[in-house]
Amino acid sequence: MPSGERPFPVPPLADVTRRLAAVASGAERPQLIIRRARVLSAYSERILEDREIWIEQGRIAAVHPCGTLPPGDAAREYDARGGLLAPGLVDAHLHIESSMVTACAYAEAALRNGTTTIFCDSHEIANVLGARGVEMMLEDARQAPLSIFLTVPSTVPATHPGLETAGGSLDASRIGKLFDRWPEAVALGEKMDFVSVARGEEGSHAILREALRRGRPVSGHVFGHEFVAAYAASGVTDTHEAVDPAIAEALLEAGLWIFLRSGPPGSPWNNLPDVIRAVTQGGLSPKRFCLCTDDRDAADLLQFGMDWAVRQAAQAGLKPAAAWSLGSLHAATRFGMDGEIGALGHGRRADMVLLNDSLEVENTWYGGRLVVEGKRITPLLDEALSERRRYRYPARAYRTLRLKKKLPPLVPELPPAVTKARVIRLLPGQIVTEEAVLPLESRPLKEFCAAHRLVHLAVLERHGQGGHAAHGLLQGFGFSVPEAAVASSVGHDAHNVVVAGTDAFEMRAALQALRKTHGGVCVVQAGKVLAHLPLPVAGLLSDQRVGEVAAQVATLREAWEAVGCRMPYMGFNLLPLSVIPALRLTDKGLVRVATMELAPLFE
């Protein structure tokens, strides 16, 4: 089994029970005492006043009333000064690749936000590099100062091969091997091909069997009431796509856990405010609800982490202790790890945070080590994140953008006999789209696009399997300037290159910028690159620290808005994702999601 240097190791509970018992009973002195704390109990959802916590071997030996052990009777002491001590947060579902940084870099932002454990689905890198890409991410995760567990990618590619081209694939056999080789692989990741699952297609159900035979939970991703019964009957037991209280209730009654996504303000992936009403107003028990972040870029990761999600839940009407439990103990329970993480119980890992009264993170302890203090990382964590300690991706991961030297046509030719054009219509503030068929009352195509405020969209195969392109027309995207284009190698989920522009010249300039850095996201105006975020690792990740990438993201956003793009770039990256209704564009063409069939651009 591959091995990595694990920072801040904590011995298994079975190896230290005698020592913990001796400390908890007062026979031995603890390595660390945190005194004068108010303790947030995720078990009883209340605040315990005036407590001290005894830490030994990176674990909690005991929680006692303050003053139980006289001062000086511990090797080290920390004065919490009346602050609120809570368990480290547990993110139930996310994609590290969405942050565009490596697992080691991700750890810095997570710990600053009080998150000490994450469950990630690495299907992005799997779509580019297959099983080896997932193992690269796991090797990266093992060297990160963070508890990282994998929900094994289940839908790679996301649709049938006839509907898109991916660089890698994971069939049932490969998924089974990942489960057997890596103990960090604890569940099956979101089963996105919900149409295929509901239809009972053998390929999808063979993958489900690999998880269910091993007793692993199965995560889900489903849209539409009509799919709930068959989907749940297939063994799926959680979803983060419950977009309103009604479907949340239906999924809950079908036996699924509900993961509430709290996206950044204005983002389309923020179902928490609506769905939490099923609890605060609808009377549902919150016992099978968890919080998750799902997708965050590097800038949003620093500002809107799991702690922010907890505060949103509290603002929506939950008691603060209950909201924190949704972000800690509930996820640990869902994945069967509540005996190890998620609350400040005796014997649990000493993953803890010190909060102010606004539930903002001041300090973070990871395995009993102080890694964030006063909202800043400590020298101990800084060293663990240094370049010499971080995982380095192999050269193969840096050579994945294989665009043809001579690019294919980026703008379609208008056939002489057609009378209609099929258009992807964007809906403000949403990630779902509409299909529109517009009459071609004007020619040439440039005049038609101007009349309906359409921009050109193209998806280029980039995995060295033909280099072809498919074309689309996009309505509602914007561009307030006459000559502009945007391009990204983060084209969920097959991660072919997606480019939109006012004309072929600008689109070509954007693609040439991506070619130079082996991937990334860029904005071009009048042939000039306004902003470029390089993502050389698999065309998905930067190899820089999270703060540096966050600054690059801020510059990209400014340029994105300057050319008038009304859809955020993370939403733009989803336009090829052919499991989100209703009409998408892959490298093979326009896909009707409900039927998983290709549709012509012109009729």
Side-chain angles (χ1 to χ4, degrees):
M1 179 183 296
S3 61
E5 181 186 353
R6 291 178 178 271
F8 315 143
V10 172
L13 179 61
D15 294 349
V16 293
T17 54
R18 292 181 65 187
R19 178 66 186 168
L20 289 172
V23 170
S25 63
E28 299 285 348
R29 71 176 191 166
Q31 293 174 330
L32 169 67
I33 290 182
I34 301 176
R35 297 190 186 274
R36 291 206 300 161
R38 293 175 294 146
V39 169
L40 188 153
S41 171
Y43 300 123
S44 59
E45 296 183 358
R46 57 180 181 161
I47 307 299
L48 309 177
E49 299 290 339
D50 202 24
R51 293 296 196 271
E52 61 188 35
I53 293 191
W54 300 358
I55 310 297
E56 178 67 26
Q57 302 288 309
R59 293 183 174 275
I60 297 170
V63 180
H64 286 302
C66 199
T68 300
L69 197 66
D73 278 10
R76 290 178 293 119
E77 297 188 5
Y78 193 93
D79 188 351
R81 299 179 180 179
L84 186 61
L85 200 63
L89 291 166
V90 180
D91 198 331
H93 171 77
L94 62 89
H95 305 280
I96 289 177
E97 299 99 317
S98 293
S99 68
M100 300 178 292
V101 295
T102 65
C104 287
Y106 188 98
E108 177 177 352
L111 292 169
R112 285 172 60 177
N113 292 330
T115 302
T116 51
T117 301
I118 65 173
F119 294 87
C120 70
D121 183 340
S122 294
H123 66 227
E124 316 300 353
I125 201 167
N127 272 277
V128 179
L129 290 164
R132 181 63 189 122
V134 176
E135 292 187 317
M136 290 176 191
M137 182 68 78
L138 282 164
E139 289 167 356
D140 183 8
R142 282 189 171 181
Q143 290 183 220
L146 190 70
S147 295
I148 300 178
F149 296 97
L150 176 74
T151 60
V152 177
S154 65
T155 321
V156 180
T159 55
H160 299 293
L163 298 182
E164 65 180 347
T165 306
S169 64
L170 291 179
D171 59 12
S173 174
R174 291 188 179 98
I175 287 171
K177 290 176 181 176
L178 286 170
F179 276 129
D180 295 339
R181 189 177 187 205
W182 294 86
E184 295 94 334
V186 297
L188 189 67
E190 54 179 308
K191 201 75 184 80
M192 294 185 292
D193 56 339
F194 58 91
V195 176
S196 298
V197 171
R199 287 174 175 172
E201 293 183 10
E202 171 56 27
S204 293
H205 283 262
I207 288 171
L208 292 170
R209 285 196 295 272
E210 292 297 320
L212 295 173
R213 285 171 176 169
R214 291 169 171 83
R216 303 294 202 280
V218 177
S219 295
H221 172 116
V222 61
F223 289 90
H225 287 262
E226 66 271 27
F227 297 105
V228 169
Y231 199 58
S234 299
V236 179
T237 45
D238 73 49
T239 181
H240 56 281
E241 295 292 351
V243 295
D244 59 57
I247 195 167
E249 183 174 353
L251 289 161
L252 188 69
E253 295 295 356
L256 276 71
W257 287 78
I258 307 299
F259 293 173
L260 300 172
R261 293 186 304 187
S262 183
S267 76
W269 37 84
N270 184 21
N271 58 16
L272 186 151
D274 284 338
V275 181
I276 198 71
R277 289 189 287 109
V279 174
T280 57
Q281 300 176 21
L284 297 184
S285 167
K287 66 182 180 181
R288 287 176 69 86
F289 284 77
C290 303
L291 300 180
C292 72
T293 58
D294 195 6
D295 295 299
R296 295 284 195 275
D297 66 25
D300 283 341
L301 185 63
L302 290 170
Q303 296 184 63
F304 306 108
M306 274 289 288
D307 59 327
W308 186 81
V310 169
R311 291 193 293 273
Q312 292 296 106
Q315 291 174 16
L318 293 183
K319 295 190 306 180
W324 199 272
S325 296
L326 259 67
S328 55
L329 181 61
H330 289 214
T333 303
R334 189 275 176 272
F335 289 105
M337 296 186 186
D338 51 311
E340 180 77 359
I341 57 174
L344 302 182
H346 301 186
R348 275 60 169 183
R349 281 181 57 99
D351 295 343
M352 307 172 294
V353 294
L354 188 65
L355 308 171
N356 62 25
D357 288 341
S358 298
L359 299 184
E360 295 171 338
V361 177
E362 302 286 346
N363 293 7
T364 302
W365 286 266
Y366 176 65
R369 277 84 164 187
L370 184 60
V371 292
V372 175
E373 185 173 24
K375 300 186 179 181
R376 296 179 180 273
I377 66 172
T378 63
L380 184 69
L381 180 56
D382 193 47
E383 169 60 20
L385 298 168
S386 65
E387 187 171 358
R388 72 182 186 88
R389 298 288 299 273
R390 296 200 306 269
Y391 174 74
R392 303 301 299 178
Y393 281 79
R396 177 187 175 191
Y398 285 81
R399 297 193 298 265
T400 65
L401 195 68
R402 301 186 182 97
L403 294 177
K404 280 189 171 182
K405 187 174 183 180
K406 183 180 180 181
L407 295 171
L410 302 175
V411 172
E413 292 187 7
L414 190 61
V418 301
T419 59
K420 298 176 183 178
R422 182 166 281 101
V423 170
I424 300 173
R425 179 176 290 160
L426 302 181
L427 302 175
Q430 299 188 47
I431 60 174
V432 297
T433 66
E434 287 183 344
E435 176 181 343
V437 178
L438 303 179
L440 280 162
E441 72 283 347
S442 59
R443 294 171 184 270
L445 186 58
K446 183 176 181 180
E447 294 179 5
F448 172 73
C449 291
H452 292 279
R453 296 183 179 180
L454 306 176
V455 301
H456 292 286
L457 183 70
V459 176
L460 286 75
E461 191 282 320
R462 64 102 155 179
H463 303 291
Q465 300 181 45
H468 51 272
H471 305 113
L473 297 171
L474 196 57
Q475 188 175 57
F477 186 72
F479 286 137
S480 58
V481 294
E483 301 174 324
V486 295
S488 175
S489 58
V490 186
H492 295 274
D493 269 335
H495 297 294
N496 292 300
V497 174
V498 55
V499 55
T502 55
D503 57 59
F505 175 82
E506 302 299 333
M507 296 165 77
R508 192 175 300 111
L511 293 172
Q512 297 295 5
L514 295 193
R515 195 198 300 268
K516 291 178 182 178
T517 56
H518 303 284
V521 188
C522 71
V523 180
V524 168
Q525 182 181 1
K528 178 183 177 182
V529 177
L530 299 185
H532 185 188
L533 171 60
L535 301 173
V537 179
L540 301 173
L541 307 173
S542 170
D543 51 14
Q544 306 300 307
R545 292 231 344 217
V546 67
E548 298 169 50
V549 181
Q552 293 173 328
V553 168
T555 300
L556 176 71
R557 286 178 176 175
E558 290 176 5
W560 196 272
E561 294 175 3
V563 297
C565 298
R566 291 198 288 270
M567 182 181 219
Y569 78 92
M570 289 186 73
F572 173 73
N573 292 340
L574 296 174
L575 288 175
L577 183 52
S578 51
V579 294
I580 299 180
L583 190 66
R584 300 277 148 172
L585 180 69
T586 73
D587 67 298
K588 296 294 183 71
L590 291 167
V591 177
R592 284 195 178 110
V593 176
T595 59
M596 285 292 157
E597 296 174 336
L598 292 173
L601 175 59
F602 297 117
E603 292 182 358

